[in-house]
Amino acid sequence: MKLCEGILNILEKDTKTSCQVACLEALRILSRDKKVLVPVTTKRNMQILMRLAKLDTVEDPLERMSEFPVIVEALKCLCNIIFNSAVAQKLSLELNLAAMLCNLLEKCKDQQFVDDIKCFDLRLLFLLSLLHTDIRSQLRQELQGVQVLTQALESSLSVRWVEEYKTAEDRDRPPLSLQETDCAIEALKALFNVTLDSWNVHSENESHQFRYMAAILRHCLLTTGPTEDKTEELHSNAINLLSNVPVSCLDVLISPSSQEETDIKYNGMNMGAIQILLDFMEKRIDKGSSYREGLTPVLSLLTECCRTHRNIRKFIKAQVLPPLRDVSNRPEVGTTVRNKLVRLMTHVDLGVKQIAAEFLFVLCKERVDSLLKYTGYGNAAGLLAARGLLAGGRGDHWYSDDEDTDTEEYKSAKPNINLITGHLEEPMPNPMDEMTEEQKEYEAMKLVNMFDKLSRDELIKPMGLRPDGTMAPLEEAVSQYHTNKQDSSDSD
């Protein structure tokens, strides 16, 4: 603690740049320990660090490059202190730190050699918006945080515009540098926090802002970083942010494809960004772990895109659920994307299971018969029970009237497909064929007694279907069925 106080006393005086950097490096290491933060987290000491980070000067531009290492180290110290101290988080609101950070971002605009400053400025904004909800509201409402952070993201990605919501696609451009990638990732994370409650667009200006952001995120998906891991991290954060964009604004992810473009097209639209989302989803499935954090955001995003935008749904269905030809294997067996998604429909994690089933259901235009064709009744039972569709039918959402066409191979195999398992089975011999009537009656009563014992011991609970397709205890379901039948006969 005394060491921290001594360092801050030195920093308060006008000392050489090299001395300031050394002191700040020492303080940065010490500030990782929560126990020594008590003397640091005072208004006076926070202001010392803010002054060194050039956060207290509104007008002065960033000109002296010799000061840049001091600014970077001071920002790093502030990041550690705010992350580890609730007192520092409250002081940040009192000292109006978020506004000063936004002002420093403006100073970094069109300035060379400030990538490190910009990166840690954005990281500090991310931490503030993550740890203090009042600062998040201040950024969104008072400081035009969405606009400021979107401009910072655009600058990090070196975006060039060819139309209002369409960026230039240069296939020969080199990958982003490590610094550019880190800046973009920090901007994406901060934007995610600031736009966390932005499902509904309330004005034309907000709609424009989110469509503009979605166009930059499309550019981000089509961009690569210096390594495969950095590219995946960049795309993962872009996908998280796209989940906050109102679904009505996601149509800018696809655009009319010009003649010279060679990207993946569908129905005259450029589907390059959607293909990257699909590839990202499959890569996360293949990882086989952390599905809730790593897979559900992209699955949720693709589900909403498919539910709202017809061209996206048809393009994705052509790849995920192509027309069935070979039905000799169960739907969950194999290496195709369909096989992998069907396996997730029975995953132990309820959230993963639900979103995988929902995605396939939307691709089938929420038609039960179509879903069962691709997954089998056994895999789909959980979703259908939750939606009250065990008796068949379709979901509430409206889709276009275009119909699926079955292949000749599927049509010829259909009579022999087991509806429960969803694959072709050879006819099995009936074990009761060689039994006498007395033997059949004995086996039937034996089975009834076994079920009765399990039911009385409350190991199982007999269930039935209500007339509306939802599950209910057997007695209640039978009672409702008879009531409905009686009502319909009376009306006749």
Side-chain angles (χ1 to χ4, degrees), residues 2-245:
K2 289 182 179 179
L3 180 57
C4 285
E5 280 286 9
I7 290 172
L8 286 161
N9 288 334
I10 294 170
L11 289 170
E12 194 173 16
K13 302 168 186 174
D14 288 329
T15 55
K16 291 182 179 178
T17 301
S18 58
C19 178
Q20 289 177 330
V21 171
C23 287
L24 286 166
E25 285 176 344
L27 184 62
R28 171 168 54 85
I29 295 168
L30 290 167
S31 63
R32 296 171 185 166
D33 186 351
K34 294 182 181 182
K35 296 176 183 177
V36 301
L37 283 178
V38 176
V40 181
T41 52
T42 64
K43 192 171 183 179
R44 164 188 166 269
N45 290 335
M46 289 280 285
Q47 286 173 327
I48 292 171
L49 293 173
M50 288 166 65
R51 176 177 59 79
L52 292 168
K54 295 296 180 186
L55 292 172
D56 62 339
T57 53
V58 178
E59 301 298 334
D60 295 347
L62 298 173
E63 290 180 347
R64 293 173 57 190
M65 288 183 59
S66 60
E67 294 180 340
F68 288 4
V70 176
I71 298 172
V72 171
E73 285 300 327
L75 287 170
K76 288 179 181 178
C77 288
L78 285 169
C79 284
N80 284 353
I81 292 165
I82 286 169
F83 180 71
N84 287 314
S85 170
V87 175
Q89 292 159 25
K90 291 178 182 176
L91 279 171
S92 300
L93 186 61
E94 185 182 335
L95 294 168
N96 207 17
L97 181 56
M100 295 180 183
L101 288 166
C102 289
N103 181 59
L104 183 59
L105 268 185
E106 289 292 322
K107 291 182 189 177
C108 291
K109 194 186 295 183
D110 303 323
Q111 179 88 23
Q112 288 186 322
F113 312 113
V114 292
D115 281 347
D116 279 342
I117 296 174
K118 184 178 172 183
C119 184
F120 287 102
D121 185 311
L122 289 165
R123 183 170 297 178
L124 199 44
L125 280 170
F126 160 67
L127 288 172
L128 288 171
S129 58
L130 174 70
L131 299 168
H132 206 302
T133 53
D134 289 340
I135 293 179
R136 187 188 307 165
S137 300
Q138 182 191 20
L139 276 167
R140 184 169 57 242
Q141 295 166 10
E142 298 172 25
L143 302 175
Q144 296 183 313
V146 174
Q147 185 176 342
V148 171
L149 291 167
T150 302
Q151 287 173 351
L153 176 62
E154 181 183 350
S155 171
S156 300
L157 297 171
S158 302
V159 173
R160 292 186 300 108
W161 297 94
V162 292
E163 294 177 19
E164 186 179 19
Y165 299 122
K166 186 175 181 182
T167 62
E169 295 181 28
D170 182 5
R171 292 179 186 80
D172 298 324
R173 68 173 180 264
L176 295 176
S177 68
L178 182 59
Q179 282 183 320
E180 289 171 333
T181 309
D182 284 339
C183 277
I185 289 170
E186 296 301 333
L188 289 166
K189 286 156 62 177
L191 271 169
F192 176 82
N193 291 338
V194 175
T195 60
L196 206 51
D197 307 315
S198 303
W199 279 96
N200 296 317
V201 174
H202 300 293
S203 68
E204 190 174 332
N205 184 53
E206 278 186 324
S207 177
H208 164 73
Q209 187 66 54
F210 280 112
R211 291 170 76 82
Y212 179 73
M213 184 195 298
I216 296 173
L217 292 174
R218 178 182 181 276
H219 180 90
C220 189
L221 291 172
L222 297 171
T223 301
T224 55
T227 64
E228 189 175 339
D229 286 345
K230 274 294 175 184
T231 300
E232 185 174 345
E233 186 181 356
L234 179 69
H235 289 175
S236 177
N237 282 285
I239 289 165
N240 289 342
L241 181 52
L242 277 169
S243 300
N244 286 352
V245 174

Side-chain angles (χ1 to χ4, degrees), residues 244-264:
N244 286 352
V245 174
V247 70
S248 60
C249 301
L250 292 177
D251 57 337
V252 299
L253 290 177
I254 60 177
S255 60
S257 181
S258 57
Q259 291 298 319
E260 64 272 11
E261 288 179 342
T262 57
D263 283 333
I264 298 165

